[in-house]
Amino acid sequence: DDIGGLPIVVVAGRAGTDQVDDHPIFDLFRQPAPGVSWVVLLRQFVVDFVLTGNAYIWLRAVSDGYELHRLHPEHTRAIMTPSGVIVGWQYGAATKLRPTEVWHVRDASWTGELAAIYGESPLRPLAPGLAAIRSARGFATRQAGRGRPDVVITYPVNASFGPAGLK
């Protein structure tokens, strides 16, 4: 639950076994952007990834270095060539970012189209079942609000169907 409390570790080398104790990225992680703490940024990153299958961080160049900003997955789209090469990112209606400015982490995807660059939410396979449950609840609520059922038919097991048998 307290992922933001985990220590920040930077490793170097191809094997990733050499721990670095002093690196400029530590300052960036300690204060990603004005008014944003590392704990808040990391928690939001994890929530975005778990719920949508995608998480985005904008590495924004400023006069004295860089800032890290969360990009909401719902508003972030890749700008691609017809062959699927990412040439930029569109955030909202107006902001266009270079590919090197956006860190995109995605979950697995099972689509075979260009949209495979986006991860799939692990909740997506549950959507049809959840929609059916919601619809059934709405139907039950509407029926209960009427105060009476529309039709109730009961008959004995040995009854015959017809004008004389069904009363």
Side-chain angles (χ1 to χ4, degrees):
D1 181 20
D2 192 14
I3 192 166
L6 294 175
I8 300 170
V9 177
V10 175
V11 294
R14 289 186 161 248
T17 56
D18 302 328
Q19 188 168 331
V20 178
D21 295 324
D22 186 30
H23 192 277
I25 201 160
F26 282 116
D27 294 331
L28 189 58
F29 285 156
R30 284 187 196 101
Q31 186 66 52
V36 179
S37 72
W38 172 246
V39 172
V40 169
L41 184 69
L42 184 59
R43 284 184 178 173
Q44 189 62 63
F45 185 86
V46 170
V47 167
D48 288 348
F49 180 75
V50 169
L51 293 181
T52 70
N54 295 282
Y56 303 89
I57 297 290
W58 177 16
L59 180 63
R60 181 175 176 235
V62 292
S63 61
D64 60 341
Y66 292 94
E67 296 175 349
L68 299 178
H69 296 272
R70 170 211 185 211
L71 298 177
H72 194 288
E74 188 174 313
H75 305 295
T76 308
R77 294 288 165 252
I79 302 168
M80 297 187 295
T81 65
S83 61
V85 176
I86 297 174
V87 294
W89 293 92
Q90 179 78 35
Y91 186 68
T95 305
K96 290 187 179 175
L97 305 169
R98 294 185 309 273
T100 55
E101 292 180 289
V102 176
W103 295 343
H104 175 215
V105 176
R106 71 175 188 91
D107 207 347
S109 175
W110 54 84
T111 182
E113 302 170 2
L114 290 179
I117 63 143
Y118 301 110
E120 288 289 343
S121 168
L123 303 176
R124 187 170 182 188
L126 302 175
L130 294 173
I133 290 169
R134 184 176 185 193
S135 178
R137 283 185 182 161
F139 177 76
T141 300
R142 287 189 302 278
Q143 291 297 359
R146 296 176 128 178
R148 61 172 174 73
D150 286 339
V151 176
V152 175
I153 300 175
T154 61
Y155 62 92
V157 176
N158 60 355
S160 65
F161 286 94
L166 188 60
K167 295 179 184 173

